[in-house]
Amino acid sequence: MSDKITLIIPCYNEEDTLPFMEKELEKVMASFEDVSFEVILIDNCSEDSTLSYMKKLHERNSIYQYISFSRNFGKDSSMYAGLKASTGDYVAILDADLQDPPEFLKEMYETVRSGEYDCVAARRGDRQGEPWLRSVLAKAFYKLMAMISDYEIVDGARDFRLMSRQMVDAIISLEESERFSKGIFSWVGFKTKWISFSNRERVAGDTKLPMKSAFSYALRGIVAFSTFPLVAVSWIGFFTFFAAIIYTLYVIIHQLVMHEATPGYPSMMCVILFGFGLTFMILGIIGQYLAQMYLEIKNRPRYIIKESSIR
Ligand code: UDP
Ligand code: MG
């Protein structure tokens, strides 16, 4: 039986880009031999005619399917919906604006099909054409993630990738609602081949991810894939407590030996330092439990099996 490839395309107000996308896809799909396609378009409750364009596509050709959300749930939720609905043996995710060049799909498919890799993912080798402030902040974010997260979040990585069915099923098994897909792709493991290409400008329209959402995206990434902030707070708590104890002892001994402090000072210092230290330490302990609880609540699978002789 021939392979089936699912293409997932999240869209938010993409009426200007979809016609270009369609043309490009037709070209790319025609270049495949003996492969069937399914294109799942996800409409994030667009305010323009994106949905009616999708409906027209579907009427014309049933390989185009669409899912339309009741409001904008964000790109990560769109990708999740697409992955859940996908039926292909291989699944690719690409942006509607042609910043993820569909012409790479063939090479990606052949690499994954050969069995050596489970996934081929794309990254931008440069950030040409992007506002400088955004580039600087994005780079800083990826550096920070590399330091505080146990999972590899590649700088310049896009969500553009083609994956095996097995990897897609693993991704779907992570049901957390605050989805940071770049982290999830890395968390599930599997062998990924990275291909690099130079940045392309979107074919039409404007970015749908303003700076404000880019910030909340970064914050979501940090919180979803690192408990470092909580753990750091708890270490600060323990450190403060011990520093407070030592200084309290110093104040007491100094007073016993020198008898020169202003009346009331030693006792007041003892109360303040001990009180503050204790409070910080308690916060620290709570932080440790919270970090653990946070991971438990996500209820991620304990492991993902790639191969086994047991059925
Ligand atoms: N997108 C979406 N929901 C959103 C924002 C964006 O589905 O709330 C889609 C958008 O239509 C596009 C892709 O996600 O297909 C990437 O968005 P965009 O090109 O605006 O982001 P950028 O490339 O500027 O980071
Ligand atoms: Mg884009």
Side-chain angles (χ1 to χ4, degrees):
M1 236 186 50
S2 69
D3 284 336
K4 180 172 176 184
I5 302 179
T6 302
L7 305 178
I8 296 170
I9 309 179
C11 303
Y12 177 60
N13 294 347
E14 297 287 7
E15 64 178 4
D16 297 331
T17 61
L18 278 178
F20 291 100
M21 187 60 174
E22 181 196 1
K23 228 186 268 159
E24 199 62 31
L25 282 185
E26 296 292 337
K27 229 180 358 188
V28 169
M29 290 192 291
S31 73
F32 280 79
E33 284 153 29
D34 209 24
V35 169
S36 62
F37 280 91
E38 162 186 68
V39 181
I40 303 181
L41 303 153
I42 322 283
D43 166 43
N44 236 306
C45 198
S46 302
E47 284 124 33
D48 62 5
S49 63
T50 299
L51 178 59
S52 50
Y53 195 87
M54 289 178 179
K55 287 182 177 166
K56 247 188 277 167
L57 279 176
H58 173 65
E59 267 164 37
R60 231 182 297 150
N61 188 345
S62 62
I63 67 163
Y64 290 98
Q65 302 286 343
Y66 62 85
I67 296 174
S68 181
F69 286 171
S70 59
R71 67 168 173 83
N72 187 349
F73 285 91
K75 189 186 170 189
D76 286 275
S77 299
S78 307
M79 291 192 276
Y80 184 53
L83 292 174
K84 278 191 98 157
S86 69
T87 59
D89 307 297
Y90 300 90
V91 180
I93 301 172
L94 54 167
D95 283 4
D97 56 9
L98 293 179
Q99 278 191 299
D100 298 334
E103 69 256 28
F104 285 139
L105 285 172
K106 191 142 194 213
E107 180 192 336
M108 289 169 136
Y109 164 68
E110 273 156 14
T111 306
V112 177
R113 199 181 58 149
S114 76
E116 198 188 333
Y117 292 93
D118 304 284
C119 171
V120 178
R123 57 179 298 200
R124 300 185 283 186
D126 58 68
R127 291 179 173 273
Q128 224 171 11
E130 198 182 56
W132 71 269
L133 183 64
R134 197 165 170 145
S135 291
V136 169
L137 291 173
K139 278 200 186 124
F141 166 69
Y142 285 105
K143 283 228 171 75
L144 179 70
M145 279 307 270
M147 281 187 317
I148 67 175
S149 176
D150 295 337
Y151 310 102
E152 193 191 16
I153 317 280
V154 175
D155 185 12
R158 299 191 54 86
D159 293 318
F160 182 29
R161 51 180 59 230
L162 185 138
M163 299 169 277
S164 66
R165 181 80 244 165
Q166 193 188 19
M167 182 165 174
V168 170
D169 289 339
I171 290 168
I172 296 171
S173 72
L174 268 71
E175 292 176 329
E176 56 211 70
S177 54
E178 286 297 305
R179 294 184 82 76
F180 179 70
S181 299
K182 283 189 187 128
I184 293 176
F185 295 148
S186 162
W187 189 94
V188 295
F190 293 99
K191 231 169 136 190
T192 298
K193 179 179 176 183
W194 287 95
I195 55 172
S196 223
F197 68 95
S198 74
N199 192 33
R200 309 206 174 179
E201 307 246 351
R202 63 164 34 240
V203 63
D206 291 318
T207 175
K208 313 294 182 242
L209 197 76
M211 273 300 245
K212 194 175 120 259
S213 335
F215 268 118
S216 59
Y217 179 75
L219 201 61
R220 185 149 47 92
I222 293 169
V223 176
F225 278 89
S226 167
T227 49
F228 178 79
L230 273 178
V231 173
V233 165
S234 64
W235 283 114
I236 293 171
F238 291 126
F239 179 77
T240 312
F241 181 66
F242 285 109
I245 294 282
I246 288 167
Y247 194 68
T248 309
L249 287 175
Y250 167 77
V251 169
I252 293 171
I253 292 165
H254 193 253
Q255 173 60 8
L256 289 177
V257 178
M258 311 291 276
H259 304 288
E260 62 183 15
T262 319
Y265 173 79
S267 57
M268 206 167 72
M269 277 314 273
C270 289
V271 172
I272 291 176
L273 284 173
F274 189 75
F276 265 118
L278 194 65
T279 313
F280 275 110
M281 191 176 77
I282 290 170
L283 276 178
I285 294 170
I286 292 175
Q288 288 286 348
Y289 278 91
L290 211 59
Q292 289 274 325
M293 247 159 75
Y294 180 61
L295 292 177
E296 290 287 337
I297 283 172
K298 281 180 184 281
N299 202 18
R300 287 179 182 156
R302 310 294 176 267
Y303 50 80
I304 288 165
I305 295 174
K306 190 172 167 190
E307 280 174 54
S308 162
S309 64
I310 302 167
R311 278 168 54 82

